[in-house]
Amino acid sequence: MGCDTLVWHTMQIALATTAPREISADGLVVFVREGKVADPTVRVLDRALGGHLQRSLQRHAFRGQDGQVVAVDTHGRLPMHQVFAVGLGQRATPDAYRRASAFVQRAVRGHVAVVAPSGSGRVWAASVQGLVEGALLGHYRFEKYRKPKPDQHAASDISILVTPGARAAATRAVTRGETFARAAMLARDLVNEPPGEVTPGRLVAEAERLAKQPGVRIKVFDAKQLATMGAGALLGVGRGSDDPPSL
C-alpha cells in the first residue's frame, strides 16, 4: 500500500491506493448517491460477503438519502470489521461529501478507510477536499477548559482510498482541504473563547502569527490611527474596555 500522510492533532489522514476490499481497518466507508445503491464498490463488497451487504441495506430501507447510514459487520470475511454505507443524497456535490464525512467521524471509531469519489477534474478535486474538511471539522472539539472524556473522539486516523493515477491530484486536494479546515478551526477556537480572553491585542497577535507565512502581509491600526481615520464607532465601543481597540 502506498500512502501520503497528513497529521492533524490526534487525527492522521493518509492517501492509500489499496483496493477497498483489501484494506485492513475498523470501518470501511462507502458513499452512495440516492437511488444508486448498486454502486460498483458496493457490488464488489457484496460479492465478497455473499450478498449480506445488499440484504442488510434492503432490510434497513437504505436508498442513499442524505444522512442515511447503515453499518454492516463483515464477520471476518473481509479485512475491515464493518462496512458503512453513507448516503449522499440526490447529488454527489462537494458539500454532500463534506456533510457525510463529518457525520461519519462522529459515528465511527478507530481506523477508518474511506472510498474517495471516482473521476477527475475540478469537481472531483473539490469533492475530495470536502471529504477532508468534513472529516477534520467533524473531529473538532473545543476542550481547552474541560478535561477530555475517554474515547470522546471518534475516528483516530483515516485512509482515503484513491486509484494510483489520482494520487498526485488527490494529494493537492487533501492539502487544500486541510488548509480550509485549519482556518475554520482557528475561527471556532476564537469564537469559543470567553470574551475576556479574545481581546484586540489577542486578535492582533493571532493575525501577526498567521502573517509570518509566505505571501501574507499585515497592517495593524492602533487607536491613534483609527482616530485619524475617523473610525468613531469602533473607538466608541473600545471606550468600554481597558484594552485599546485595534484593526
Side-chain angles (χ1 to χ4, degrees):
M1 177 179 74
C3 68
D4 301 298
T5 302
L6 163 74
V7 177
W8 177 257
H9 294 306
T10 59
M11 176 183 282
Q12 175 176 288
I13 293 181
L15 282 175
T17 54
T18 307
R21 64 167 294 169
E22 298 174 359
I23 190 74
S24 178
D26 293 301
L28 173 67
V29 175
V30 182
F31 296 108
V32 181
R33 281 183 58 189
E34 185 172 346
K36 303 292 184 180
V37 181
D39 176 271
T41 301
V42 172
R43 292 202 302 268
V44 170
L45 297 172
D46 187 55
R47 284 196 296 270
L49 293 175
H52 176 56
L53 178 56
Q54 284 288 4
R55 288 194 297 270
S56 296
L57 296 181
Q58 291 172 5
R59 185 168 62 252
H60 289 88
F62 180 85
R63 297 177 49 212
Q65 292 174 303
D66 186 12
Q68 275 192 307
V69 179
V70 172
V72 180
D73 290 330
T74 63
H75 301 292
R77 294 185 177 184
L78 288 170
M80 73 290 304
H81 297 158
Q82 291 181 304
V83 173
F84 291 83
V86 181
L88 290 171
Q90 294 182 349
R91 299 180 61 198
T93 63
D95 281 341
Y97 279 101
R98 186 179 296 106
R99 289 194 305 272
S101 182
F103 183 82
V104 167
Q105 301 319 307
R106 294 188 288 267
V108 187
R109 296 186 181 277
H111 173 211
V112 179
V114 179
V115 181
S118 59
S120 61
R122 294 177 62 182
V123 174
W124 170 84
S127 296
V128 175
Q129 175 185 332
L131 191 159
V132 173
E133 290 177 21
L136 291 172
L137 294 175
H139 191 263
Y140 173 85
R141 302 289 188 280
F142 185 74
E143 298 172 336
K144 182 177 178 179
Y145 301 106
R146 72 170 106 182
K147 183 178 180 180
K149 299 178 181 178
D151 298 324
Q152 184 172 1
H153 293 304
S156 58
D157 56 282
I158 301 171
S159 295
I160 301 177
L161 308 184
V162 299
T163 60
R167 178 193 293 276
T171 298
R172 293 190 293 270
V174 168
T175 300
R176 186 173 173 84
E178 186 269 345
T179 301
F180 276 68
R182 181 173 58 186
M185 284 189 273
L186 172 60
R188 290 182 180 184
D189 282 345
L190 293 173
V191 170
N192 283 324
E193 286 277 9
E197 292 293 324
V198 189
T199 62
R202 165 77 180 278
L203 290 176
V204 168
E206 290 288 348
E208 289 176 335
R209 179 181 64 83
L210 294 174
K212 293 179 180 179
Q213 301 178 67
V216 180
R217 293 184 299 174
I218 182 173
K219 171 65 177 176
V220 179
F221 297 90
D222 59 21
K224 184 177 180 180
Q225 292 169 309
L226 290 171
T228 302
M229 292 168 57
L234 186 57
L235 291 169
V237 173
R239 291 194 186 98
S241 172
D242 293 332
D243 299 295
S246 298
L247 178 66

